Every structure is written in C-alpha cells, then in structure tokens.
Amino acid sequence: MARNKYPEETINQILTVALNLFIQKGYEQTSIQDIINELGGLTKGAIYHHFKSKEEIMQAVIDHLFKGVDEMLSGIRDDKELNGLEKLRKISRVSLNNPAQNEVATVAPKLLRNPKLLAAQIEHIIEKAVPVYIQPIIEQGMRDGSIRTDYPRELSEVLVILTNLWLNPAVIEATPEIMLRKVRFFDELLKGMGLDMFDEQMFQRYEELYRLSAREVSTDN
C-alpha cells in the first residue's frame, strides 16, 4: 500500500486494521508489527508518526468506535418532537437496524477474551451512555408521563447494561433460540417497569443478528 498523503485516511486505515486484529487475536497478542503487516507497505515510522504506542492506537480505536454511538444518542436525546419513551424506542430501532451490526455479528468478537475492549464498553456505559444520554431521556419521560419510575438512574443502568452485555452474544455465547428467549424475557421485565420497548419487527431483527453470529461461531469451529 502506497503511503497515503492524507493523514486522516492513513489514521482511519490504521484504526480499521488494528480493530480487526484486536478482535481476531486479542489486544495482548497483537503487535505493532502485526498491524504493519496488514497495512501492506506502511512503515513502522509512519505508524509512530501518528501513534506513540499500541496503547495509544487502542485508545484511538475505542474513541472511533464510540464516536458514532455518541452522535446517534445525542441526536435522539435532543429531538424536541419525541417524548421520553419514544426516544428510547428510537434508540433501540436505530441501533438494531444499523448496517454495521451485521458486520459486527459476522465478525463475532469474543469480548471475554478481549478484556480491554470489554472494559472500554463497560466504562462507556457507566460513565457516558447512562448519565449523559439514557438517564436524561428517562427523566424526560417521567416529566412528560410516558415513563413511570422512581429509579431513573437504576433503570437506565439496567436497560443499557442488559442490552449491551447480557443480550450480546459477543459477551455471553448462546444459541439463537436461547438468546431470543432472553430478549422476550427482557421485554416482559421492561414492561413490568413501565417500558413497552419492543415490537415484533425488533424481535425479528434480534433473531437475524443472533443467527448471523451463530453462523460465524459454527464456521470458526
């Protein structure tokens, strides 16, 4: 690969290759040389021109991963046309229907074997997704009457943690049938807390993603 004269494109290429390697091999097992080998011609000096260390590459990968999520969440949070419950439903639909979800499902990263990626996701949930985006939406829902709860922080944490960790086959492996039972149980749990979040189309989308993930696991084995 010829050296790219546009630094931003070069950085994006490095981050894409690094993410794929971190997912496939794990952060600890991936070296700077592995990243160079996949970039096909970019020198070690060119990489160190943009990043001082593998740890810095990892942080840039994490920032890149969550940038699009934060932009989506902030856009929905600030939408003046929707009530609190409608915003939560829209977040679920947009997240599930994102075409990138198919790629993530087929790559099937095993986050328990990639503790840095898993820790980054948990940190983002606790420090940003819950207090900056989800809790303000739930508090709006309490004010506009679309959500009834006395525990906005706790409900926000349950909603995001279960969705992103407990229902994520990259964290907890299970058959599509078991995962779908978990989704339907989660739906009943949320209804008991005053959140009617899911419709049949969303269940079908979950099933599609779980089957993509299961197919990739079967291929790997």
Side-chain angles (χ1 to χ4, degrees), residues 72 76 82 85-98 101 197-199 201-202 205:
M72 180 271 288
I76 294 174
L82 302 177
L85 181 57
E86 289 169 340
K87 288 180 179 181
L88 292 182
R89 288 172 175 167
K90 185 172 181 179
I91 287 171
S92 295
R93 287 196 304 271
V94 170
S95 298
L96 283 173
N97 292 324
N98 184 347
Q101 288 283 10
M197 292 274 294
F198 298 102
D199 56 30
Q201 185 177 6
M202 293 173 68
R205 178 58 175 155

Side-chain angles (χ1 to χ4, degrees), residues 141-194:
M142 294 168 64
R143 293 192 297 271
D144 64 36
S146 63
I147 297 172
R148 295 182 180 179
T149 183
D150 294 325
Y151 304 96
R153 172 75 187 198
E154 293 76 12
L155 180 56
S156 302
E157 290 182 352
V158 166
L159 181 62
V160 181
I161 290 172
L162 292 187
T163 300
N164 288 278
L165 300 178
W166 189 62
L167 293 180
N168 186 348
V171 179
I172 303 175
E173 290 185 40
T175 65
E177 290 74 21
I178 290 174
M179 295 302 294
L180 281 171
R181 281 183 58 85
K182 291 169 71 171
V183 173
R184 292 192 179 276
F185 169 76
F186 186 48
D187 178 46
E188 290 190 17
L189 188 68
L190 291 179
K191 285 178 179 175
M193 293 187 288

